[in-house]
Amino acid sequence: RAFIFCDHASNAVPPWVSLGVSADDMQRHIAWDIGTDGLGRKLCAALNCGGLICSFSRLVIDANRNPDAPGLIPDYSDGTDILGNHGLSHEDRQARIDQLYGPYHHMLGVALDSHPACLAISVHSFTPQLRGHPKRSTDIGLLVKDDPDTANQFLAELSTAAPDLQVDINEPYSAYDLNWTVDHNVVPRGLRHLAIEVRQDHIATDTGQAAMADMLARAIQPLL
């Protein structure tokens, strides 16, 4: 059985946090992985498996960062100043860790311990174009480091399920750079795993999410 988790599925900000970011910016990719809430839920339904959806914006605190990383609570992202995160006090920083970041990772650990033989699947999405950068041609990225065998099996199945999509390894991000949740929660438990990145224009709508969930599920099912 699979277990799916989405670190950046929400752009929600708790009422006790003020980011100083416009409503328009909160809809951009800087605040969340657009489309992953719907994709994650549809993938759980297609695979008849459990999952965990992170419920706070990456601008409040980034669940996929080492707690000591400089970008754990970002003060700038793709052209936007996160004014409420500038000069954050130690107490405010610790509150976000204690009330949001810590509980998310605890819940994920508990869930994975209750599925000891699962295929753990991390689902993210990425913007088609960062400001000032060329458009990205990758349709689906697979972040690979500790479990190349599962990744290779998935790639073989995906070539049949989605032959027209460009699938790249460690693009647009590398598992050697941005892989904290998998490194911290999945690898130590010895679980087979996949870390999937989907370009956001494929899953910006409910229809797109359904189509992508179907393609991914067809590629994942033979691995279970």
Side-chain angles (χ1 to χ4, degrees):
R1 190 64 62 86
F3 186 87
I4 294 162
F5 58 96
C6 304
D7 292 334
H8 299 144
S10 175
N11 63 348
V13 179
W16 47 274
V17 172
S18 177
L19 293 177
V21 175
S22 72
D24 286 344
D25 274 330
M26 288 305 299
Q27 295 301 319
R28 293 178 59 216
H29 70 95
I30 63 171
W32 58 339
D33 279 0
I34 294 166
T36 56
D37 182 286
L39 176 60
R41 293 175 190 277
K42 289 176 172 63
L43 201 49
C44 284
L47 295 172
N48 189 30
C49 71
L52 181 65
I53 303 290
C54 187
S55 62
F56 51 86
S57 171
R58 67 200 304 170
L59 296 183
V60 177
I61 189 166
D62 193 328
N64 193 34
R65 294 291 185 277
N66 184 311
D68 297 322
L72 179 70
I73 298 177
D75 55 20
Y76 182 86
S77 184
D78 196 26
T80 297
D81 268 319
I82 317 303
L83 298 177
N85 289 345
H86 284 261
L88 201 66
S89 70
H90 172 75
E91 291 76 16
D92 286 343
R93 176 186 177 88
Q94 195 61 43
R96 299 188 195 185
I97 293 173
D98 293 344
Q99 297 185 48
L100 300 170
Y101 180 95
Y104 171 71
H105 284 280
H106 175 73
M107 289 175 65
L108 180 56
V110 169
L112 293 176
D113 285 341
S114 68
H115 297 78
C118 72
L119 172 62
I121 304 173
S122 171
V123 176
H124 288 265
S125 71
F126 62 95
T127 182
Q129 186 173 18
L130 291 167
R131 289 180 174 177
H133 292 262
K135 289 184 177 180
R136 290 161 161 169
S137 58
T138 300
D139 294 297
I140 297 175
L142 196 60
L143 277 55
V144 181
K145 183 172 61 171
D146 291 290
D147 188 5
D149 290 343
T150 300
N152 287 332
Q153 294 172 37
F154 175 71
L155 285 170
E157 297 294 339
L158 195 60
S159 67
T160 299
D164 297 327
L165 297 184
Q166 180 175 325
V167 182
D168 296 316
I169 301 297
N170 286 330
E171 292 289 346
Y173 308 106
S174 171
Y176 291 89
D177 299 326
L178 297 173
N179 208 49
W180 170 254
T181 304
V182 171
D183 289 343
H184 181 66
N185 294 290
V186 178
V187 174
R189 289 176 166 85
L191 297 172
R192 294 182 303 139
H193 59 273
L194 296 169
I196 302 170
E197 292 264 1
V198 180
R199 203 176 66 212
Q200 288 165 357
D201 53 308
H202 289 295
I203 54 172
T205 65
D206 187 75
T207 300
Q209 292 161 17
M212 182 60 66
D214 177 68
M215 283 189 290
L216 293 178
R218 282 188 279 124
I220 292 167
Q221 192 67 56
L223 280 62
L224 301 179

